[in-house]
Amino acid sequence: YSLYILSIGQILFSFYYIFESIFQGKMRAYRSLFLIASGAILNILLNLLFIPYFGINGAALSTLISSIFIFIAGMIMIYKHE
C-alpha cells in the first residue's frame, strides 16, 4: 500500500523539475529553493504527526501530501508571475 502512495507522489514531484527549469529560465532560482525547502519542512512535520499512528503508510502519506503541496504551489508561482 505504501509503495502505491509513493508512486503517485513521485509522479507529482516529477513536475518539480519542470518548475525548476522554468524558474531558472526566468532567473528566479530562489523560488525553486523556496518551493523545495517548504515541501521538505512540511514533510518533516507531517512525518512527526502521521508515523506514530500509521507507521510506514503514514510516512508515504506525508510524502504524498508534500508532493501535492509542491505541485500546487509551483503551479501557482508560475501562473501568478507569468
Side-chain angles (χ1 to χ4, degrees), residues 61-81:
L61 184 61
S62 67
T63 301
L64 175 63
I65 293 170
S66 299
S67 297
I68 292 170
F69 169 78
I70 290 170
F71 175 75
I72 292 173
M75 293 293 286
I76 290 170
M77 288 173 131
I78 287 172
Y79 285 112
K80 184 178 176 185
H81 301 287

Side-chain angles (χ1 to χ4, degrees), residues 40-52:
I41 291 169
L42 178 63
N43 194 12
I44 291 169
L45 293 174
L46 290 175
N47 276 336
L48 293 173
L49 181 67
F50 290 157
I51 289 176

Side-chain angles (χ1 to χ4, degrees), residues 16-35:
Y16 166 74
Y17 297 109
I18 297 170
F19 300 151
E20 181 181 21
S21 298
I22 292 170
F23 293 142
Q24 292 287 335
K26 292 184 174 186
M27 304 300 279
R28 293 189 170 98
Y30 63 91
R31 289 188 181 155
S32 177
L33 174 66
F34 172 75
L35 197 59

